[in-house]
Amino acid sequence: MTFHAQAAWLDGRAVADVRISTVAGRITALTPGTPAEPGDEVLTGLVFPGFANAHSHAFHRGLRGRTHGDGGTFWTWRTAMYSLAGSLTPDTYRDLATAAFTEMVLAGFTAVGEFHYVHHRPDGTPHDEPNAFALALRDAARTAGIRLVLLDTLYLTSAPGEPPLPEQRRFSDGSAQAWARRVKQIPADEFFRVGVAAHSVRAVGPADLSVVAETAWDLGAPVHVHLSEQPAENEACRRAYGCTPTELLDRAGALSPALTVVHANHVTDADVALLGARQASVAGCPTTEADLGDGVGRYRALVDAGSVLALGTDQHAVVDPFAETRGLEGASRLGSLRRGVFSPAELVAALTTGGHRSLGLEGGSLQVGQPADLVAVRTDSVRTAGSDPAQLAMTAAAQDVTDVVVAGEFRVRGGVHLAVPGERLVEILRSLP
């Protein structure tokens, strides 16, 4: 199939009239400055490489609009999250994840990293199929038409040295070794990759962090971890281990270019230097961090030190890649008292090349040999009309995404998902308890 882009994002800039030839889901030729030919699939607006959502908890989508009544903190929000997690079955999670993943595809995401820690029955006993929840997520991603990297998450303690709380028992495999054995049984394919994660240094101790790193090495997989999202996490780590969470990861041999740290809102100058020296990725989730009152991440400092920036929608208070780019830049401006902390091209890179690197995936750029994952964004909407196309990352919204192509096939056309009707999404979300 051959697509004709009215304009396409090539090498960090908008280029007019680009024909994109594809075979077997990959780009075989790019021809700028060429008019459409008969038979071309015409994509209007500006065509970007597919966006990668580097950090997702699909079931958190069920909390949207349900946790704001009493204010509170991250820790009070967590109570509501545990209640929702406790109600899930593989079937209900499949439905909820189908809605979450479909919303992502409609917004322009063609790949997602699912930070997955709901593993077992509420009392902690395994299902007959130990990976029933993982396979439910796989099925949901297939229905939505999104590439899924399942970041299967080790979760053993409620705090350093403390057993899981009753509401956390279904997250735990009992030991890092049992977790690793289960993870290695998950069947992967071209659109469903398996990665690993440690939930946090609250939930995984130093010896078990090493098991996570070793398992990632064995699988050739990316590894993710929540890092310094809250000051209380840092304080608990210092009390237990005499160091910051970043330093603990380094002692465990977990800091590497294969690692993505999520949030990093409360890292020290020494942490920033260490993460940059190890070339770890950092996944910012600005809309979630604002929603939960987490604080402002030190993303400019981390990138300047050598880290690679990615973006995620995390708890899905909003599913909009451009809300994340504006949230990142807006928070950075508020923290630094200056504009243009990140250039529009850097923000696009966080959604594309940075996100794919974080997930260990090919893609993120329009180049010959890369996956044919394409996102067409309107340049003539009430939000984008008059914008410099190079600055759409600061003006567009998810509603401006008209067409989404994954592996050379349309998943969204004219703003409509081709496999999951909008009324089905509404039905799923209205059925939540």
Side-chain angles (χ1 to χ4, degrees), residues 195-420:
V196 300
H199 181 272
S200 59
V201 300
R202 289 184 288 108
V204 182
D208 293 324
L209 286 171
S210 298
V211 175
V212 174
E214 291 163 6
T215 304
W217 177 264
D218 290 344
L219 295 173
V223 56
H224 286 219
V225 62
H226 291 129
L227 184 77
S228 294
E229 181 177 4
Q230 288 284 323
E233 176 187 326
N234 290 355
E235 293 161 8
C237 188
R238 286 193 178 95
R239 286 195 302 270
Y241 307 116
C243 63
T244 68
T246 299
E247 291 165 341
L248 190 68
L249 291 174
D250 196 44
R251 292 179 188 179
L255 287 190
S256 76
L259 177 71
T260 295
V261 298
V262 183
H263 302 305
N265 300 102
H266 302 283
V267 288
T268 67
D269 289 345
D271 293 339
V272 168
L274 191 54
L275 290 163
R278 300 290 189 268
Q279 298 182 321
S281 293
V282 56
C285 306
T287 62
T288 289
E289 289 151 10
D291 183 76
L292 298 181
D294 284 340
V296 177
R298 299 187 61 190
Y299 298 120
R300 182 73 262 174
L302 284 159
V303 170
D304 289 344
S307 291
V308 177
L309 182 63
L311 288 168
T313 61
D314 195 350
Q315 60 145 335
H316 318 306
V318 178
V319 175
D320 184 335
F322 303 107
E324 302 301 339
T325 58
R326 285 194 298 278
L328 179 76
E329 173 62 15
S332 299
R333 290 181 184 188
L334 290 170
S336 67
L337 304 181
R338 67 185 181 89
R339 303 180 79 238
V341 178
F342 288 95
S343 71
E346 286 180 305
L347 297 173
V348 173
L351 285 174
T352 54
T353 53
H356 285 80
R357 177 193 193 262
S358 167
L359 299 178
L361 293 175
E362 295 181 278
S365 62
L366 299 182
Q367 295 183 6
V368 171
Q370 290 293 302
D373 296 353
L374 315 172
V375 178
V377 180
R378 289 182 61 181
T379 55
D380 63 350
S381 74
V382 294
R383 290 162 294 277
T384 59
S387 295
D388 178 347
Q391 298 186 30
L392 281 188
M394 293 300 294
T395 60
Q399 304 95 293
D400 297 315
V401 172
T402 58
D403 299 281
V404 178
V405 173
V406 180
E409 296 185 10
F410 280 100
R411 309 296 187 188
V412 173
R413 201 161 193 178
V416 176
H417 196 282
L418 300 183
V420 186

Side-chain angles (χ1 to χ4, degrees), residues 119-120 126 129-131 134 152-154 156 172-187 194-196 208 211-212 214-216 218-219:
H119 300 309
H120 306 300
E129 165 50 68
N131 286 301
D152 199 286
T153 303
L154 179 62
L156 297 176
S172 176
D173 287 277
S175 72
Q177 291 71 26
W179 164 81
R181 286 193 297 271
R182 180 181 55 74
V183 171
K184 291 177 181 180
Q185 296 172 4
I186 302 173
V194 178
V196 300
D208 293 324
V211 175
V212 174
E214 291 163 6
T215 304
D218 290 344
L219 295 173

Side-chain angles (χ1 to χ4, degrees), residues 56-246:
S56 162
H57 301 293
F59 80 89
H60 289 193
R61 174 60 183 83
L63 296 172
R64 185 187 295 177
R66 295 179 170 215
T67 62
H68 303 286
D70 299 321
T73 66
F74 168 87
W75 305 102
T76 54
W77 168 89
R78 192 177 72 158
T79 300
M81 182 270 288
Y82 284 156
S83 177
L84 176 58
S87 73
L88 295 171
T89 68
D91 288 338
T92 60
Y93 202 177
R94 182 183 299 107
D95 283 347
L96 183 51
T98 297
F101 292 155
T102 300
E103 187 177 8
M104 290 179 204
V105 176
L106 284 163
F109 289 111
T110 59
V112 58
E114 178 63 24
F115 200 101
H116 170 56
Y117 54 85
V118 181
H119 300 309
H120 306 300
R121 294 187 174 96
D123 64 358
T125 58
H127 288 89
D128 294 339
E129 165 50 68
N131 286 301
F133 279 109
L135 298 179
L137 287 164
R138 178 199 64 185
D139 294 345
R142 287 177 175 173
T143 299
I146 195 168
R147 300 180 190 273
L148 174 62
V149 178
L150 185 86
L151 299 162
D152 199 286
T153 303
L154 179 62
Y155 198 126
L156 297 176
T157 59
S158 58
E162 297 295 327
L165 299 172
E167 57 267 35
Q168 297 169 333
R169 286 181 297 195
R170 72 183 320 178
F171 307 160
S172 176
D173 287 277
S175 72
Q177 291 71 26
W179 164 81
R181 286 193 297 271
R182 180 181 55 74
V183 171
K184 291 177 181 180
Q185 296 172 4
I186 302 173
D189 58 43
E190 180 184 358
F191 293 95
F192 176 59
R193 305 293 179 86
V194 178
V196 300
H199 181 272
S200 59
V201 300
R202 289 184 288 108
V204 182
D208 293 324
L209 286 171
S210 298
V211 175
V212 174
E214 291 163 6
T215 304
W217 177 264
D218 290 344
L219 295 173
V223 56
H224 286 219
V225 62
H226 291 129
L227 184 77
S228 294
E229 181 177 4
Q230 288 284 323
E233 176 187 326
N234 290 355
E235 293 161 8
C237 188
R238 286 193 178 95
R239 286 195 302 270
Y241 307 116
C243 63
T244 68
T246 299

